[in-house]
């Protein structure tokens, strides 16, 4: 026999019909004359009630004697009962044991005992049996689906680019070297160069959802060493066009998650507010001034440090952009403002608690590109394949990258990035 229903598909109105449910034994309570076995599946829980006088003695004993977390299928008859959760229960007619659980369990999954994050991550498959953990990953799936839907509807084409590469793109963070036959190679930090090259191809609007690898030395609550990046690049566009695209996408996704993941958000006890667009644009200069007023002094030309980000974030309280960044602290591919070369057309999208995305209108003039590379200490000869794509007709273009996990932190209210990552890679964690 096979499963006929998930727990949530059964209702009191189905009284008298026979169903087959499958899942894990969550809890067993034997009160003497009657016993209750709570079965848990992906959708929730269902109570199997065993009135000993009515149920075959051997079957009753078999059900009641199973240890927690054993995987079973129960065939039973739906019975209305106001005392049962959901106002119905199942009276068993047959039981199949699919996989017995060992004891003791590596962690409690009934929600009675909290485990340390490390213990949870070591037994992630057990951790995910808790509804409040599963909910995060249902929201994650929904979010990535809606990112795709949104971008596809806007006419973007999905691409995938190599993760084993010969050169770095993002200054600042280190690369993971790998051995590639007799050559030196690295895991890619960003699809930046590839997505820009696609602007010379005529594909016009592209996106990629894929892994990026960064050898961040420090252990923080918002950095991973392997992360999923949502990257977009759009030709014949400037920074304002892609900032509008990004804020509309964030709003769209928030609406969809709020509408379609109500149950999960409730499980997480997280109230999601739909952000209003356009998001506030704060110039870099204004941001450091604001930080200064809150006691975080930043010299013009320095990156906004984390306490500065937090100070500005607290003041604004929702998503906002920081624009007009100094040219020297943004990557070579960010376009300096033609009328004022001290600043660029680069922006960061900020969540009150952290940076969510960076983007820019790009340099599309080959001379300027080579000049900016050299100024930033990069050798253009190492980027020949990239620079060549600017020689034979490269339209103006702009784009951004959003860390999928940071987006999930914003949507679920989680404060540690590991909570929204199935198997996080950090300074101390390479397994599982
Ligand atoms: P970038 O785009 O420059 O790589 P990021 O995407 O990592 O930065 P954030 O993590 O929000 O963005 O960085 C914002 C600030 O946080 C930086 O200006 C820096 O001062 C600080 N910061 C960045 N990385 C770390 C780290 N590994 N440990 C502690 N602080 C950090
Ligand atoms: P940037 O380096 O700012 O820009 O990265 C873009 C976004 O990716 C996320 N992110 C991370 N998330 C978790 N752990 C990390 N170690 C990590 N590093 C980055 C953040 C960040 O805002 N090429 C540009 C994008 C562009 O201009 O199109 C880039 O990579 O959310």
């Amino acid at each position: 026999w096979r499963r006929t229903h998930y727990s949530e598909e059964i209702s009191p109105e189905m009284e008298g019909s026979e169903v087959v449910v499958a899942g894990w034994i969550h809890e067993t309570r034997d009160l003497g004359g009657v016993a209750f076995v709570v079965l848990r599946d992906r959708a929730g829980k269902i109570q199997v009630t065993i009135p000993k006088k009515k149920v075959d003695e051997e079957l009753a004993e078999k059900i009641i004697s199973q240890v927690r977390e054993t995987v079973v299928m129960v065939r039973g008859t739906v019975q209305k009962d106001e005392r049962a959760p959901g106002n119905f229960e199942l009276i068993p007619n047959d039981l199949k044991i699919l996989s017995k659980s060992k004891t003791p369990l590596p962690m409690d999954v009934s929600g009675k005992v909290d485990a340390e994050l490390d213990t949870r991550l070591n037994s992630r498959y057990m951790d995910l049996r808790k509804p409040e953990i599963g909910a995060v990953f249902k929201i994650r799936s929904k979010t990535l689906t809606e990112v795709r839907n949104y971008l596809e509807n806007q006419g973007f084409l999905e691409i995938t680019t190599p993760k084993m590469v010969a050169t770095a793109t993002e200054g600042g963070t280190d690369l993971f070297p790998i051995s590639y036959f007799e050559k030196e190679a690295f895991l890619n930090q960003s699809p930046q160069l590839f997505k820009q090259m696609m602007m010379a191809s005529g594909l016009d609007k592209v996106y990629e959802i894929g892994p990026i690898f960064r050898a961040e030395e420090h252990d923080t609550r918002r950095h991973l060493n392997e992360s999923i990046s949502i990257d977009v690049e759009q030709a014949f566009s400037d920074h304002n066009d892609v900032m509008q695209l990004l804020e509309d996408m964030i709003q769209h996704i928030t609406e969809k998650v709020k509408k379609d993941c109500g149950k999960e958000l409730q499980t997480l006890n997280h109230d999601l507010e739909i952000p209003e667009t356009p998001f506030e644009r704060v110039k870099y200069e204004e941001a450091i001034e604001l930080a200064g007023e809150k006691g975080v002094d930043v010299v013009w030309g320095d990156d906004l440090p984390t306490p500065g980000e937090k100070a500005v974030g607290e003041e604004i309280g929702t998503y906002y952009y920081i624009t007009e960044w100094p040219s020297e602290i943004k990557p070579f591919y960010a376009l300096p403002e033609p009328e004022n070369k001290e600043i660029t057309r680069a922006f960061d999208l900020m969540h009150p608690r952290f940076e969510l995305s960076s983007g820019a209108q790009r340099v599309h003039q080959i001379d300027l590109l080579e000049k900016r590379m050299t100024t930033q200490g990069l050798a253009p000869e190492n980027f020949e394949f990239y620079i060549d794509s600017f020689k034979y007709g490269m339209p103006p273009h702009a784009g951004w990258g959003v860390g999928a996990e940071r987006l999930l932190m914003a949507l679920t209210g989680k404060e540690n990035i590991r909570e929204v990552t199935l198997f996080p890679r950090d300074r101390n964690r390479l397994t599982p």
Side-chain angles (χ1 to χ4, degrees), residues 56-340:
D56 173 75
E57 199 176 328
E58 203 182 322
L59 175 64
E61 176 52 28
K62 199 170 154 195
I63 299 180
I64 297 162
S65 63
Q66 296 310 314
V67 300
R68 271 184 187 197
E69 299 306 314
T70 286
V71 178
V72 298
M73 276 205 287
V74 177
R75 185 166 55 200
T77 307
V78 179
Q79 180 170 291
K80 235 192 253 185
D81 193 318
E82 271 159 23
R83 289 164 301 179
N87 299 328
F88 69 91
E89 58 199 14
L90 222 55
I91 309 297
N93 303 321
D94 205 352
L95 171 80
K96 207 177 227 179
I97 295 160
L98 299 176
S99 169
K100 283 184 187 269
S101 174
K102 289 202 188 310
T103 50
L105 302 171
M107 60 179 286
D108 173 64
V109 298
S110 68
K112 286 177 187 141
V113 192
D114 279 339
E116 295 286 335
L117 183 59
D118 257 336
T119 310
R120 292 174 38 212
L121 293 175
N122 287 340
S123 303
R124 200 50 149 156
Y125 56 93
M126 291 293 290
D127 190 36
L128 279 151
R129 292 182 192 179
K130 294 183 284 186
E132 70 275 22
I133 309 298
V136 170
F137 294 94
K138 287 177 195 165
I139 295 175
R140 182 171 172 131
S141 171
K142 177 73 189 166
T143 300
L144 293 180
T145 300
E146 288 305 332
V147 167
R148 281 206 168 81
N149 287 344
Y150 181 78
L151 293 172
E152 293 280 340
N153 280 333
Q154 297 292 319
F156 282 81
L157 218 76
E158 181 164 11
I159 59 167
T160 53
T161 63
K163 303 306 156 205
M164 296 191 285
V165 297
T167 51
T169 53
E170 309 299 318
T173 56
D174 284 321
L175 289 154
F176 286 110
I178 54 172
S179 75
Y180 194 78
F181 307 110
E182 55 289 334
K183 288 200 179 71
E184 182 183 45
F186 305 96
L187 293 175
N188 205 6
Q189 289 173 308
S190 161
Q192 184 67 31
L193 305 184
F194 297 105
K195 65 177 181 170
Q196 280 195 266
M197 286 190 282
M198 285 307 100
M199 299 299 96
S201 75
L203 290 184
D204 213 62
K205 292 165 139 193
V206 301
Y207 74 100
E208 173 165 8
I209 301 175
I212 56 169
F213 304 90
R214 300 185 177 199
E216 314 267 6
E217 282 285 345
H218 306 276
D219 221 356
T220 79
R221 283 149 66 88
R222 61 181 204 291
H223 286 92
L224 293 167
N225 295 107
E226 176 176 343
S227 155
I228 297 295
S229 175
I230 303 162
D231 270 274
V232 152
E233 205 66 22
Q234 178 171 328
F236 303 99
S237 300
D238 65 14
H239 53 310
N240 289 316
D241 297 327
V242 294
M243 283 201 286
Q244 197 185 334
L245 175 80
L246 179 53
E247 64 199 359
D248 286 348
M249 185 182 89
I250 300 286
Q251 188 187 50
H252 168 89
I253 289 164
T254 312
E255 278 168 1
K256 286 287 184 182
V257 167
K258 187 165 177 140
K259 184 166 154 276
D260 296 342
C261 299
K263 186 175 148 193
E264 286 74 24
L265 288 168
Q266 205 178 355
T267 306
L268 292 174
N269 199 9
H270 184 57
D271 190 20
L272 205 50
E273 258 177 58
I274 312 291
E276 275 177 38
T277 56
F279 296 164
E280 194 172 335
R281 268 81 169 151
V282 180
K283 295 189 176 94
Y284 165 82
E285 199 170 69
E286 297 163 352
I288 60 171
E289 198 177 302
L290 207 62
E293 283 167 18
K294 303 233 162 188
V296 185
D297 287 325
V298 186
V299 180
W300 198 96
D302 282 352
D303 211 347
L304 190 62
T306 307
E309 282 180 356
K310 296 233 159 89
V312 181
E314 264 169 35
E315 184 68 28
I316 297 184
T318 178
Y319 296 103
Y320 64 100
Y321 283 110
I322 303 181
T323 61
E324 302 193 4
W325 285 84
S327 299
E328 66 217 68
I329 52 168
K330 279 293 173 185
F332 63 85
Y333 50 75
L335 180 70
E337 190 57 58
E339 302 299 312
N340 176 7

